[in-house]
Every structure is written in C-alpha cells, then in structure tokens.
Amino acid sequence: MAQEYIAFGDRAFVDENFESAVKHYTQALELDPSAAVYEARANALIELEKYMEAVQDASKAIELDSNNAKAYLRKGTACFHLEEYETALQCFEQGQLLAPDMPKFRTWIKKCNAELDGEREDVGTAAAAAATTKPAAPPTPVEAAAAAGPTAATAAAAAAAPAPAALAPAADTAPAASSSTRALAPAAVEVCTSKYRHQWYQIGSKVVIDVYAKNLPKDAVAVQLTGDSDKLKVTIAAQPAAAGTSSSSQAEQQQQQQQQQQQQQQQQ
C-alpha cells in the first residue's frame, strides 16, 4: 500500500502538483517511514518554499540512511535558501563524497563559497571602518551654551567656574571615601537580541534538536538538558568584537563561526 502512495506522489511531483505530492508521501510515511520517502517529500517541500520543513525531512532521511546522497542534496538546498551557507556547504561536500559523479554538488558548492566570500568581505569592511572611525567628542557645556545664545553662555561659564575651596575638616572628622577606592558597579551584561531558528523531530526513541545561529563561535552556545523536567535550555552569549580588530582577524573569526546544530538524545 505504501508503494502505491509513493507512486501517486511521484506522478504528482512530475506534474508539478507539489501539494498533492507532499500529501501522498505523507500517507506513505505513515505506513512505512523510510529515508527515500523522507527525501522525496523534502524535495517537494523545497518546491513549495517550505525550507524549514524540508530541512527536517532531509535530516530524518540522513538519520535513517547516512549514505543517502540525495538527502544531503535536499538538506543543503533548503539550508542555502535559509541563508545557512556554512551548513549547506557541509551538506553538499558530504553528498559529493557519496556521489562524486553528481554535478549538482559541484554547482551548489560554488554557490556556497561565493556567498561565504561575500559575507567575509562585508565583515572585514565593517571591522576596518569601525577601527578607523572615532566618535566625535560631545560639546562642553560652555560650547553648547554658546550655540544657544549669549545669555546661556554667560550662565554656563559661571557654572563652569571653580567653586571656592571648602574649609578643611576638623581633626576628629573621618575623611570621606575617595572615589578611586569605591567599588565599581558590575558591568551590564550584553543581551543578544538576534532571533535564531530552531526545530526538533523524533525518530523512534531519538529526539533531534537543531539550533540555527549564524555568525557565532562554537563557545558562545551552550546546551543543557535539565534533569527530571526534560526541558532543554539553549544559552547564546553575545560576544562583541574587540575594538581595533583588523579585517584579516575578523575574516578568520568569520570562518570559524559555524551554524550550531546541537543534538540531544533522550529515551521515551
């Protein structure tokens, strides 16, 4: 029976009726979940521009059959459209190892490298501009008042004049704490407000969770499965670039920043 649904899905795909193809492939998967059908449904979902769902189906196909070259092609294609170029490149390179005679992998690898080169150039240009540009110093109160008018300038000059020296404290009076000896307030923690995509799916007793976080180093992401509550906590720390970083070091850092795909397994 599953084979009939697969045949219906294949015919619908050839006729470019992708919604119908997805429906028939889904019916086949309910009867017999297999890597080939997950890969076929991922292909139909890509045509419908449902890229996150396509990544999920392609990932399931890879979990069931790690030698399925077409599954890597589908996942890479979907990730490319999601602008996850590094993940896409990894998929295409792995697929090319499995099917070196398939020309599509070479084409997609060239596209990924072109996009990644463009991103690195943008990061290098932004870093160089940030290193050479100095913010203008704020105007002094007298300068600001001068711009406002002569009356305000006179008042500001008077306010800026040094105050008369205060009388020395009595000998038995404790000196006030110096500002240099006061404890500094803790620095504010930078909150990373960017949005990240994530998804999860289950194959048998295995649960796989993918977190897509672009332009972050590996050590900026921590994943923790919290005990009895079975809750997964993903922490993404903001790591701003240090001032004065050169464009070359920024490019190297960009190369090291990979999409974080964390997989956690738990038994039902």
Side-chain angles (χ1 to χ4, degrees):
M1 190 66 178
Q3 293 299 322
E4 294 182 6
Y5 288 125
I6 294 173
F8 291 150
D10 291 343
R11 284 197 292 269
F13 187 93
V14 171
D15 293 337
E16 299 185 357
N17 189 350
F18 304 117
E19 291 282 2
S20 179
V22 169
K23 176 182 177 181
H24 291 307
Y25 290 140
T26 301
Q27 292 171 323
L29 287 169
E30 291 173 354
L31 297 173
D32 182 21
S34 66
V37 182
Y38 276 120
E39 177 271 318
R41 191 171 70 173
N43 196 20
L45 289 168
I46 290 172
E47 295 294 338
L48 294 171
E49 299 183 2
K50 297 181 179 181
Y51 301 121
M52 284 297 291
E53 295 179 35
V55 170
Q56 181 173 328
D57 271 8
S59 298
K60 289 181 180 179
I62 293 171
E63 287 287 334
L64 293 172
D65 181 7
S66 60
N67 293 321
N68 191 325
K70 285 187 177 181
Y72 286 102
L73 178 63
R74 307 310 176 205
K75 184 173 182 178
T77 303
C79 287
F80 183 91
H81 287 293
L82 291 170
E83 298 183 1
E84 299 288 346
Y85 302 122
E86 291 181 355
T87 303
L89 179 60
Q90 293 173 5
C91 292
F92 294 137
E93 290 177 341
Q94 182 62 35
Q96 188 179 45
L97 291 176
L98 297 171
D101 296 332
M102 189 178 294
K104 288 185 177 180
F105 287 119
R106 292 193 294 271
T107 301
W108 280 110
I109 287 173
K110 290 180 180 179
K111 290 183 178 181
C112 288
N113 284 327
E115 293 292 342
L116 290 172
D117 289 342
E119 286 187 351
R120 290 167 192 144
E121 290 178 2
D122 292 342
V123 170
T125 302
T132 57
T133 303
K134 295 183 179 179
T140 64
V142 174
E143 292 173 342
T151 303
T154 303
L167 294 176
D172 57 348
T173 303
S178 172
S179 61
S180 62
T181 61
R182 295 175 185 170
L184 297 177
V189 178
E190 183 176 350
V191 179
C192 195
T193 58
S194 301
K195 296 185 180 298
Y196 304 99
R197 290 188 288 264
H198 71 279
Q199 65 175 4
W200 70 274
Y201 55 90
Q202 183 172 354
I203 300 178
S205 61
K206 181 186 294 185
V207 175
V208 180
I209 300 174
D210 294 336
V211 179
Y212 295 91
K214 292 185 62 177
N215 299 327
L216 282 179
K218 292 181 178 180
D219 55 0
V221 180
V223 180
Q224 179 182 7
L225 186 62
T226 58
D228 298 334
S229 60
D230 291 335
K231 293 182 179 179
L232 185 73
K233 180 180 180 181
V234 179
T235 303
I236 300 177
Q239 294 197 353
T245 303
S246 65
S247 59
S248 60
S249 62
Q250 284 289 334
E252 293 175 359
Q253 187 180 41
Q254 177 71 12
Q255 290 178 331
Q256 296 174 357
Q257 293 172 345
Q258 298 180 352
Q259 167 270 335
Q260 304 299 313
Q261 185 181 63
Q262 304 295 339
Q263 296 188 345
Q264 295 294 330
Q265 301 181 1
Q266 63 185 30
Q267 299 295 327
Q268 291 181 328

